[in-house]
């Protein structure tokens, strides 16, 4: 009977439709069909999967993008969702590329164990933090472009404009340009002043937007994990990024070692012959790795225990790059327990390795 058969689903996600596929426990292809990305489409997709038997799990590509709403819907209906990475290029060249092929590949990845990651839950305070940081990051990037454009226009402006503005510091320059009154003349100096004033006012608007986002993030971070923000060298931005990397369901990370691997802070063997060493990991979540890197740099400058550790390892002949690798691994271990929202005081980590 169909209701006694165990099946595994796979979904190749897209903007307007999702391609679903079903295989049995020995990998035989049973069926594939496309469904629209609407609430009714998700309902029909789930019913279609269940019509083939008991659904053990469903592998979904892009659970953080096109498949995020589908993953939430399936989990709300007690279906185990497995995050599936896109096949590498060699596998795609060998097996071809189409939506049904990708859907079957997602289901096969779950069956063979190649895919086993639990997707991030995107329904809590960490998702709210991530959303605000997207806006803040774009505003910071735009503001940086504006100040670069202002500097470039000042360099190429007529001499009477350039000499008046070139020595002003950034903050004073923005205020001066925003208050300027270039008039309505069509001469080259007047047009340069008009352009500079508009850029300066846009800079002020973005600054106010960034300040608002910082205040909102401060409130959310204080609620989400105040102990994480209180750690030495950890600020709002770095703490927010580490929380986003762990997600709203950090229990999906099996251990602090898995979190370090996710952040590309786990050491990678680089030994050969008589050389026995490890190197930096260049994979993983690069933004999380950058957050750990910034925390390590701040601690190397202001934290006494970190300075003592750096001095000791330098005396032992370790390079700065290897010391940073070790520090990032220590920091990943230290912050991991705060990412699970267990707000209990603990002893500071002792750098001994």
């Amino acid at each position: 009977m169909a209701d006694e058969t165990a099946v595994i689903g796979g979904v190749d996600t897209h903007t307007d439709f999702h391609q679903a596929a079903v295989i049995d426990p020995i990998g035989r292809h049973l069926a594939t069909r496309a469904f629209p990305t609407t609430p009714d489409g998700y309902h029909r997709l789930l019913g279609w999967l269940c019509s083939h038997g008991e659904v053990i799990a469903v592998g979904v590509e892009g659970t953080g993008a096109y498949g995020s709403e589908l993953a939430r819907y399936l989990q709300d209906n007690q279906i185990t969702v497995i995050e599936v990475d896109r096949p590498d290029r060699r596998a795609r060249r060998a097996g071809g590329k189409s939506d049904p092929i990708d859907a079957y590949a997602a289901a096969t990845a779950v069956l063979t164990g190649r895919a086993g990651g639990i997707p991030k839950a995107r329904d809590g305070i960490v998702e709210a933090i991530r959303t605000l940081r997207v806006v803040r990051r774009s505003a910071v990037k735009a503001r940086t472009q504006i100040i670069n454009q202002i500097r470039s226009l000042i360099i190429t402006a007529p001499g009477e404009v350039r000499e008046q503005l070139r020595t002003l510091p950034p903050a004073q320059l923005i205020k001066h340009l925003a208050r300027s009154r270039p008039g309505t003349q069509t001469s080259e100096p007047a047009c340069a002043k008009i352009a500079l004033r508009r850029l300066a006012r846009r800079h002020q608007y973005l600054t106010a937007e960034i300040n608002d986002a910082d205040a909102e993030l401060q409130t959310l971070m204080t609620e989400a994990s105040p102990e994480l923000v209180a750690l030495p060298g950890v600020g709002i931005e770095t703490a927010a990024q580490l929380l986003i990397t762990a997600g709203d369901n950090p229990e999906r990370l099996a251990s602090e070692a898995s979190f370090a691997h996710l952040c590309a802070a786990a050491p990678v063997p680089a030994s050969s012959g008589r050389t026995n060493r490890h190197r930096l990991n260049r994979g993983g979540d690069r933004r999380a790795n950058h957050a750990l890197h910034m925390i390590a740099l701040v601690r190397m400058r202001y934290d006494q225990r970190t300075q003592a550790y750096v001095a000791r390892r330098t005396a032992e002949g370790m390079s700065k790059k290897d010391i940073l690798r070790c520090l990032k691994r220590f920091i990943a271990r230290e912050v991991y327990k705060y990412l699970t929202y267990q707000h209990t005081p603990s002893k500071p980590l002792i750098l001994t390795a």
Side-chain angles (χ1 to χ4, degrees):
M1 298 295 292
D3 58 353
E4 297 176 352
T5 303
V7 297
I8 299 172
V11 182
D12 181 32
T13 58
H14 298 276
T15 304
D16 300 320
F17 70 92
H18 295 330
Q19 186 75 32
V22 181
I23 63 175
D24 63 14
I26 60 175
R28 291 179 299 189
H29 295 185
L30 301 181
T32 179
R33 184 180 295 180
F35 296 90
T37 56
T38 61
D40 179 66
Y42 300 145
H43 177 74
R44 289 163 48 197
L45 187 153
L46 178 58
W48 179 79
L49 288 175
C50 294
S51 69
H52 291 83
E54 180 185 357
V55 181
I56 300 175
V58 177
V60 179
E61 283 191 16
T63 58
Y66 297 125
S68 59
E69 184 60 27
L70 174 63
R72 278 193 289 262
Y73 180 82
L74 294 176
Q75 289 173 330
D76 290 342
N77 285 274
Q78 310 305 314
I79 300 296
T80 300
V81 178
I82 303 299
E83 184 173 7
V84 178
D85 294 331
R86 185 181 64 179
D88 58 29
R89 293 181 179 179
R90 171 182 285 185
R92 288 200 168 196
R93 283 196 298 267
K97 171 71 174 74
S98 72
D99 295 336
I101 289 175
D102 289 346
Y104 278 124
T108 303
V110 176
L111 176 63
T112 59
R114 184 178 66 84
I118 300 174
K120 289 182 182 179
R122 298 179 178 273
D123 54 0
I125 190 171
V126 175
E127 178 64 11
I129 292 172
R130 186 194 69 84
T131 304
L132 285 178
R133 287 193 75 242
V134 169
V135 179
R136 184 190 185 279
R137 188 164 56 247
S138 64
V140 170
K141 183 177 180 180
R143 188 177 66 173
T144 302
Q145 292 176 335
I146 287 173
I147 193 65
N148 291 337
Q149 291 170 344
I150 290 175
R151 293 294 189 189
S152 177
L153 285 177
I154 290 176
I155 290 174
T156 59
E160 59 185 273
V161 178
R162 184 176 65 251
E163 295 304 321
Q164 181 183 6
L165 303 174
R166 64 189 304 177
T167 59
L168 296 178
Q172 186 176 349
L173 175 65
I174 296 299
K175 291 181 180 179
H176 176 80
L177 292 176
R179 293 196 304 260
S180 64
R181 297 180 179 274
T184 58
Q185 301 178 13
T186 58
S187 63
E188 183 180 357
C191 289
K193 292 178 180 179
I194 292 173
L196 289 170
R197 182 182 63 174
R198 289 176 178 173
L199 288 174
R201 291 183 175 180
R202 189 183 302 172
H203 186 284
Q204 289 181 332
Y205 174 80
L206 290 173
T207 299
E209 184 177 316
I210 293 169
N211 292 337
D212 291 341
D214 286 339
E216 294 162 349
L217 284 171
Q218 177 77 40
T219 301
L220 290 175
M221 287 300 302
T222 302
E223 179 183 351
S225 185
E227 290 87 353
L228 179 61
V229 180
L231 288 176
V234 179
I236 295 297
E237 277 294 298
T238 51
Q241 179 57 59
L242 295 175
L243 280 175
I244 292 169
T245 300
D248 278 301
N249 52 338
E251 63 276 3
R252 69 193 180 93
L253 302 172
S255 64
E256 56 87 15
S258 64
F259 173 69
H261 184 76
L262 177 62
C263 296
V268 177
S271 302
S272 177
R274 298 179 180 179
T275 303
N276 184 11
R277 63 180 293 271
H278 292 77
R279 66 166 175 83
L280 293 171
N281 188 342
R282 296 177 178 84
D285 188 332
R286 302 314 303 172
R287 288 178 179 171
N289 187 273
H290 181 262
L292 294 177
H293 185 81
M294 296 305 298
I295 295 171
L297 292 180
V298 173
R299 290 188 176 187
M300 289 173 67
R301 181 159 185 163
Y302 299 105
D303 186 39
Q304 293 184 354
R305 59 176 183 149
T306 304
Q307 293 171 348
Y309 174 79
V310 172
R312 176 165 62 84
R313 299 306 293 232
T314 302
E316 294 173 358
M318 184 177 285
S319 66
K320 182 179 179 180
K321 186 177 293 185
D322 286 337
I323 292 174
L324 275 172
R325 172 185 60 78
C326 293
L327 284 174
K328 287 195 285 188
R329 182 65 180 87
F330 281 123
I331 294 168
R333 182 179 304 151
E334 185 176 16
V335 304
Y336 170 75
K337 53 181 171 289
Y338 297 102
L339 299 176
T340 57
Y341 314 122
Q342 298 296 325
H343 302 313
T344 55
S346 60
K347 297 180 180 179
L349 182 66
I350 304 300
L351 301 177
T352 58

